[in-house]
Amino acid sequence: MGGTPELKLYNTLTREKSVFKPIDAENVRMYVCGPTVYDYAHIGNARPVIVFDVLFRLLRHVYGESHVTYARNITDVDDKINARALRDYPGLPLNAAIRAVTEKTETQFLEDARALGSLEPTVQPRATDNIAEMIEIIERLIARGHAYQASGEVLFDTKSMADYGQLSKRNLDEQQAGARVAVDAHKKNPGDFVLWKLSDDNEPGWESPWGRGRPGWHIECSAMSGRYLGDVFDIHGGGLDLIFPHHENEIAQSRCAHGTDVMANVWMHNGFLQVEGRKMSKSEGNFVTIYELLHTETFAGRQWPGEVLRLAMLMTHYREPIDFTWNKLIEASNTLSKWKRAAELLSSQSTAPIDPQVLKALADDLSTQRAVQRLSTIAGSAFAAFHERGAVSEHEVEQEQQMLVATLVASAKLLGFDLLEKTEIDEAVAVEVDARVKARLEFLKAKNFAEADKIRDTLAAEGIQLKDGKDAATGERVTTWEIKR
Ligand code: AMP
Ligand code: ZN
């Protein structure tokens, strides 16, 4: 593992943090449940995208770029999609209307994910391209006595699996208590769930041994993970809300179809992005879409770059809830500006390995919040070295500073930040601040201290700190600035 500490991950299946051991270090395999493409993704949906991208990057760092397979599906068959298609494209035939909705939404999701600084997963299978695989699993489940047909549906028989409920630690009796028996009279047990349901002429459908129909949601992920990662793979991820029923049912289907003890060895779940203590969600109506945040000026009168949202998320450990506030975005924006200003000091030839403390933090169940703090410390030290210029041997200071800045850039990259890339907003801010700093220097030259101080105070009020110094070569007064945290 070349200099990287042992990777420890919290596993929802065991409720413990333990050392990660891949099934095959040559091909580490991770599956994360992707979006149902009927509408714009909200910034809560951005959390699993970002969290598992950091894990993907870390795994690639540890096992080698070509030794990690990351699959994230696109759910493009779902009753919510049908409803949206009928609403938005009433004039089109249903199939064309559905395609219009799913293609548009999928394109937007991929663009959002890219803007958040996420790498493309190795494979991004669509449910509708894997219907044959789903039918095959359902056939196996029926043949093995784990599924049955009733009232136009094929259902999974939860009582047929001795240890159903292992992930969510629910037992079947608990589930029975909350079940709506009247609606589900055709089910053998209230917890039984749909694998396949028949479609009428106004619904999308595929031919199957049980008639023209469509899959249930859970079977999609069993089929796609099995096809691309195998019957048993390393890591399965998603948000906390997916533990039950979605992941529980994925496990039931895959294990019973393949006769295996586990589906994935490690199950990881990110906490919720919340607004005033409640999960951000479409149904609560308390959501902000990624698109709105990035491309409109609805929020605090400005557009917010994806990397700012990314950092705002990574400032909290992935299993903790995040209370979403604009202050959090402002804090992330200031931190990122500070890192980028430090990165500007980098001369092109300097390179450095990733900081060991950043690696250590990430290897400890993805403690991105600690990695972020460490990056700020490194950036702070780089600035300090800069201001020490001339105090000790200039060459030594220069070398130390280059080392710090190169470490900062390499380590931030592992978290998905390209500090050498300017964002438009940063540039606009920088140009504007530079102009005011220059104006102040002019006032100082003209001995108009009142006006000079006014500029300094206004900048300070905006969180921008000035440092006056002397240019070593010319002896002229120079002023640098940084955004204070
Ligand atoms: P959905 O489209 O609702 O299936 O959600 C897609 C992914 O986003 C799933 O992994 C969800 O668990 C996750 N997710 C949804 N809402 C939130 C939220 N408020 N905070 C964090 N993750 C969420
Ligand atoms: Zn899934």
Side-chain angles (χ1 to χ4, degrees), residues 31 33 73 217 221 236 246-247 250:
Y31 186 91
C33 297
N73 69 292
W217 172 35
C221 288
H236 192 312
H246 185 54
H247 288 168
E250 279 188 38

Side-chain angles (χ1 to χ4, degrees), residues 437-453:
V437 168
K438 208 167 146 220
R440 175 176 165 271
L441 280 175
E442 295 299 322
F443 281 126
L444 287 176
K445 244 190 235 164
K447 303 212 180 316
N448 186 344
F449 299 111
E451 285 301 320
D453 287 351

Side-chain angles (χ1 to χ4, degrees), residues 341 383 386-387 429-430 432-444 449-470 477-485:
R341 295 209 54 80
F383 283 126
F386 181 68
H387 297 304
V429 170
E432 197 264 337
V433 172
D434 280 344
R436 282 192 280 167
V437 168
K438 208 167 146 220
R440 175 176 165 271
L441 280 175
E442 295 299 322
F443 281 126
L444 287 176
F449 299 111
E451 285 301 320
D453 287 351
K454 223 193 254 172
I455 295 179
R456 161 171 232 137
D457 294 346
T458 321
L459 285 169
E462 293 170 25
I464 291 162
Q465 196 171 40
L466 303 184
K467 290 245 163 77
D468 289 321
K470 271 206 173 77
R477 179 199 281 275
V478 286
T479 301
T480 57
W481 58 269
E482 67 170 296
I483 298 174
K484 230 175 20 188
R485 280 200 60 186

